[in-house]
Amino acid sequence: MKRTLITLAMTLSVAVPAMADQALATSKNCMACHAVDKKLVGPAYKDVAAKYAGQAGAADKLAEHIMKGSSGVWGPVPMPANPQVKPDEAKKLASWVLTLK
């Protein structure tokens, strides 16, 4: 019983922050074009995490793409700027994306 409770607590401690950041992504309309594990209009967040894994400054670079948009990174469809996303939110979103496997 004790082992089950410990396992449950560990699972929740990992899942709750991830869901909180996905909630932020949803509230900022990111999920209209992206999904965690499949390509929609834009790449899957897991693919973004894999592409930038281990790169210095990746969170800052992604945060800038979130706020200012980008083009040519994932093909011909540009990512529009998201002026509704504040710098601290963009950094939080970018950091969350980079944790996805």
Side-chain angles (χ1 to χ4, degrees):
M1 177 72 170
K2 185 177 181 182
R3 185 180 178 114
T4 303
L5 289 175
I6 291 170
T7 302
L8 178 61
M10 289 174 63
T11 301
L12 289 175
S13 69
V14 173
V16 171
M19 290 187 328
D21 292 327
Q22 187 167 348
L24 177 60
T26 300
S27 75
K28 296 299 179 177
N29 294 325
C30 303
M31 304 306 279
C33 294
H34 297 277
V36 171
D37 58 357
K38 63 183 175 187
K39 181 184 183 328
L40 296 178
V41 175
Y45 286 140
K46 288 182 178 183
D47 293 339
V48 175
K51 181 174 185 166
Y52 289 95
Q55 290 186 23
D60 291 330
K61 184 176 189 174
L62 290 176
E64 186 166 322
H65 287 196
I66 291 167
M67 292 184 301
K68 297 180 180 179
S70 65
S71 64
V73 178
W74 291 93
V77 178
M79 179 171 159
N82 293 282
Q84 78 280 9
V85 179
K86 297 177 181 134
D88 62 317
E89 293 170 329
K91 183 71 177 240
K92 184 176 182 180
L93 289 166
S95 296
W96 168 66
V97 167
L98 292 171
T99 67
L100 301 172
K101 304 274 186 249

